Amino acid sequence: MFALCLRCPGQVGGFGRYQWLHVTLISFPGLMMASQNLLNNFISGMPAHHCSLPTNHSLHNLSLFYQVTCLIGARFTDISLLSANLSQLPTEGCLDGWTFDRSEFLSTTISEWGLVCSLRPLKQMIQTIYMGGVLTGAIVFGGLSDRFGRRSVLIWSYLLLAVLGCSSALSPSYSAYCIFRFLSGMAVSGIILNGVSLKVEWIPTKSRTIVGTLTSFFFTFGQMILAGLAYWLRDWRKLQVVVCAPQFLFFTYSWSVIESARWLVLNRRSEEALKTLHRVARINGKPEMVNKLTMEVLHSHMSKEIESSHSSFTAFDLLKTRGMRRISICLIAVWFSTSFAYYGLAMDLQKFGVSIYLMQIIFGAVDFPAKLFALATLSFLGRRVSQAGCLFLSAAIIFANIFVPSDMQTVRTVLACLGKAFTSASFTTVYLYTGELYPTIIRQTGMGFVSTFSRVGSMAAPAVLILDEVLPALPSLVYGGAAVLAGCFACFLPETLNMPLPDTIEDVEEKWYARSKRQLQYLC
């Protein structure tokens, strides 16, 4: 039976020609979204470096001078004493600047602004500031899309990212670049949130899981495209322009995207929604449905949504009742830790001693089997087991990598890829699981609320990498510990496999928690 995505089955051709075109056009920019999220790996790559040779010194002992300054990040006040015990010699900062190796990177923010030694934490700060922009954008553009529509906000988000992203390549200073990255993060959030909403609200319910998983492969391909572009250009300003310029193309064709008919109806623009549905029916080759789909039919099929739209629900409603509170707290832990561990692994590619470009391709490729694995476990083992299992397995692999010697780079790389694969599978699972746990009347609010903590996790992940200066194993202990804790929280979530979606908060309380209480009373 054909289905319309807004509870109007059998009217406009289900998942037809228009839906294929619509989903493809909105998903295609995902190829560049991976570049935005992982760009700092290459923009702020750390080249090999040493103190520049003092201008007033001869070339005597130059070789030893380079080796020592590269090792300790400072220079000796008297190079003639290099043959002495190094720990007993006085040192000073590199007053003559740094010399950077150009074999792997021609130019990065590190080499341009000297972000080494005491300024090394500023490298990770760029990613944290960018993720802060993504978090802010989720709050700002989420409200704007509910007020002005998904299509309008999506179009202008493309333009904002194109302009701000290309402008950041002209940044004259570190501070200016951070500001541009923060604003770019906001635009990225507007693209992702409104793109997902437009896809979900135009495809039938039964197709959402498979379509959502398949379109996520655009992001996976994007990770490998980023590696190729970075290897080809090797200059941070050129790379910045190349990954952002395609947004002008996306902005141009996004004007052809049709607004969500569901949003139009809920915002009292039913006549416009009806014209939109008639247009989609014609594109799908169902012109006979134009006369059958009337205003009365539209309102009758959307009566429940229209009625619920008159009631205002906020994030506080996610914590008022016992069942909703339990679900929300557990999902907060799962979203935070999944993103925390994912970006903790994905944003530190240089530590494996393998080419950073090759590591990016490998890390992107492992997403393919990871997402197929997630689909299989979701279908046969259920949501709860899949979610907890992915988190526990990723934690076990992260912990195991701590005990692998640094000279066994192949083993360390394989374990890191497995850890990234399971965190990727955890992401795939939690997106589906969250949509099934929250009731229809507050589902979007719930998704926005818990996914906010995912962005908090992605902000915190780069900052934790700085802890390796205290203890090299400390970042891995933090990432793994967070995954274990979230896995425990996931065990307390109810199973939703083959169960109908709840429509109201009362459905949630009755379906999962009142029944459990009755069973417990019976056992007692």
Side-chain angles (χ1 to χ4, degrees):
M1 180 176 69
F2 296 111
L4 172 64
C5 310
L6 27 110
R7 285 181 173 271
C8 198
Q11 304 302 319
V12 297
F15 198 89
R17 188 183 306 144
Y18 170 74
Q19 279 74 17
W20 279 112
L21 180 63
H22 176 79
V23 169
T24 302
L25 288 178
I26 294 178
S27 300
F28 190 68
L31 293 173
M32 293 293 106
M33 289 302 102
S35 298
Q36 295 297 326
N37 289 348
L38 303 174
L39 190 60
N40 204 51
N41 275 334
F42 303 98
I43 291 288
S44 300
M46 181 73 73
H49 55 277
H50 56 74
C51 290
S52 297
L53 181 67
T55 55
N56 61 348
H57 200 277
S58 68
L59 298 180
H60 180 65
N61 281 332
L62 177 60
S63 175
L64 183 57
F65 173 81
Y66 278 177
Q67 295 174 19
V68 175
T69 56
C70 187
L71 176 65
I72 68 173
R75 78 178 191 193
F76 294 99
T77 56
D78 189 349
I79 301 179
S80 63
L81 300 176
L82 283 177
S83 59
N85 188 344
L86 298 181
S87 62
Q88 299 176 0
L89 294 178
T91 62
E92 61 183 6
C94 292
L95 303 181
D96 298 284
W98 295 87
T99 297
F100 292 90
D101 178 68
R102 292 165 58 88
S103 61
E104 189 172 27
F105 305 103
L106 295 179
S107 174
T108 69
T109 59
I110 304 297
S111 61
E112 181 148 340
W113 294 314
L115 306 182
V116 295
C117 290
S118 61
L119 298 181
R120 181 170 171 261
L122 294 181
K123 170 191 174 181
Q124 304 300 345
M125 189 58 65
I126 295 175
Q127 183 69 11
T128 298
I129 290 172
Y130 166 77
M131 288 300 179
V134 175
L135 173 60
T136 305
I139 299 170
V140 173
F141 288 114
L144 290 177
S145 65
D146 286 338
R147 182 176 180 181
F148 299 106
R150 284 81 162 100
R151 176 178 175 271
S152 299
V153 177
L154 178 66
I155 290 172
W156 291 111
S157 294
Y158 283 136
L159 181 60
L160 282 174
L161 182 57
V163 173
L164 293 169
C166 292
S167 298
S168 48
L170 304 175
S171 300
S173 65
Y174 174 84
S175 300
Y177 182 68
C178 287
I179 293 172
F180 278 120
R181 286 300 287 163
F182 179 85
L183 296 174
S184 297
M186 291 183 62
V188 166
S189 201
I191 292 172
I192 293 175
L193 287 177
N194 290 283
V196 169
S197 295
L198 279 172
K199 283 189 289 186
V200 166
E201 293 173 0
W202 270 117
I203 58 179
T205 302
K206 65 179 181 180
S207 304
R208 288 178 185 173
T209 301
I210 186 65
V211 170
T213 302
L214 291 178
T215 55
S216 69
F217 285 124
F218 280 91
F219 187 89
T220 300
F221 278 117
Q223 296 181 55
M224 293 184 281
I225 290 174
L226 173 62
L229 291 175
Y231 181 80
W232 171 44
L233 298 170
R234 302 198 183 210
D235 182 283
W236 77 271
R237 294 185 186 272
K238 293 179 182 177
L239 180 60
Q240 182 74 51
V241 171
V242 168
V243 300
C244 294
Q247 304 301 324
F248 286 109
L249 171 64
F250 305 146
F251 166 74
T252 302
Y253 77 61
S254 63
W255 289 89
S256 63
V257 173
I258 298 178
E259 180 60 271
S260 164
R262 182 180 187 277
W263 179 86
L264 291 171
V265 172
L266 296 180
N267 284 271
R268 298 177 176 83
R269 295 165 62 177
S270 298
E271 291 185 2
E272 191 176 342
L274 191 62
K275 291 179 181 178
T276 296
L277 293 172
H278 288 168
R279 179 184 174 188
V280 172
R282 294 190 187 96
I283 295 174
N284 283 346
K286 298 289 180 179
E288 69 277 5
M289 295 300 171
V290 173
N291 295 327
K292 295 181 181 180
L293 185 55
T294 63
M295 194 69 71
E296 292 74 19
V297 172
L298 180 62
H299 283 169
S300 65
H301 282 289
M302 288 201 64
S303 58
K304 196 166 187 178
E305 282 92 339
I306 294 173
E307 182 180 353
S308 65
S309 68
H310 299 316
S311 303
S312 58
F313 292 95
T314 66
F316 292 107
D317 293 291
L318 300 172
L319 303 172
K320 280 183 179 179
T321 60
R322 178 177 177 270
M324 293 293 292
R325 184 165 55 248
R326 181 173 171 180
I327 288 174
S328 297
I329 291 174
C330 291
L331 286 177
I332 285 172
V334 171
W335 276 93
F336 175 86
S337 297
T338 298
S339 181
F340 186 60
Y342 182 92
Y343 284 101
L345 290 171
M347 296 307 301
D348 194 22
L349 301 183
Q350 286 186 284
K351 71 178 181 182
F352 299 107
V354 182
S355 168
I356 187 174
Y357 307 104
L358 178 60
M359 280 301 301
Q360 183 63 67
I361 292 176
I362 295 173
F363 265 35
V366 297
D367 275 11
F368 288 103
K371 290 175 180 178
L372 295 176
F373 169 80
L375 278 178
T377 57
L378 285 169
S379 301
F380 296 103
L381 300 180
R383 279 55 165 154
R384 178 168 54 194
V385 173
S386 299
Q387 188 69 75
C390 287
L391 287 166
F392 285 137
L393 286 171
S394 64
I397 292 170
I398 292 172
F399 286 144
N401 222 354
I402 297 175
F403 302 100
V404 178
S406 58
D407 57 339
M408 298 178 65
Q409 292 297 344
T410 303
V411 177
R412 290 176 60 83
T413 302
V414 170
L415 289 177
C417 291
L418 288 174
K420 201 262 187 179
F422 283 118
T423 55
S424 179
S426 180
F427 255 131
T428 301
T429 303
V430 74
Y431 267 105
L432 173 64
Y433 204 5
T434 302
E436 294 177 339
L437 285 169
Y438 281 128
T440 302
I441 60 171
I442 201 171
R443 183 168 294 126
Q444 287 298 101
T445 302
M447 285 288 291
F449 177 72
V450 295
S451 64
T452 296
F453 289 89
S454 167
R455 295 173 180 92
V456 174
S458 62
M459 286 176 61
V464 171
L465 292 173
I466 302 172
L467 296 177
D468 66 352
E469 295 183 2
V470 180
L471 180 67
L474 196 53
S476 296
L477 289 172
V478 175
Y479 295 135
V484 170
L485 185 62
C488 295
F489 273 99
C491 294
F492 291 95
L493 289 169
E495 181 56 67
T496 60
L497 179 63
N498 297 326
M499 296 185 68
L501 296 178
D503 289 316
T504 65
I505 293 176
E506 290 74 17
D507 288 347
V508 172
E509 301 297 325
E510 175 64 25
K511 179 182 291 184
W512 288 314
Y513 292 102
R515 181 173 60 187
S516 299
K517 185 177 180 180
R518 288 196 299 269
Q519 291 174 346
L520 182 60
Q521 290 174 342
Y522 174 77
L523 291 174
C524 292

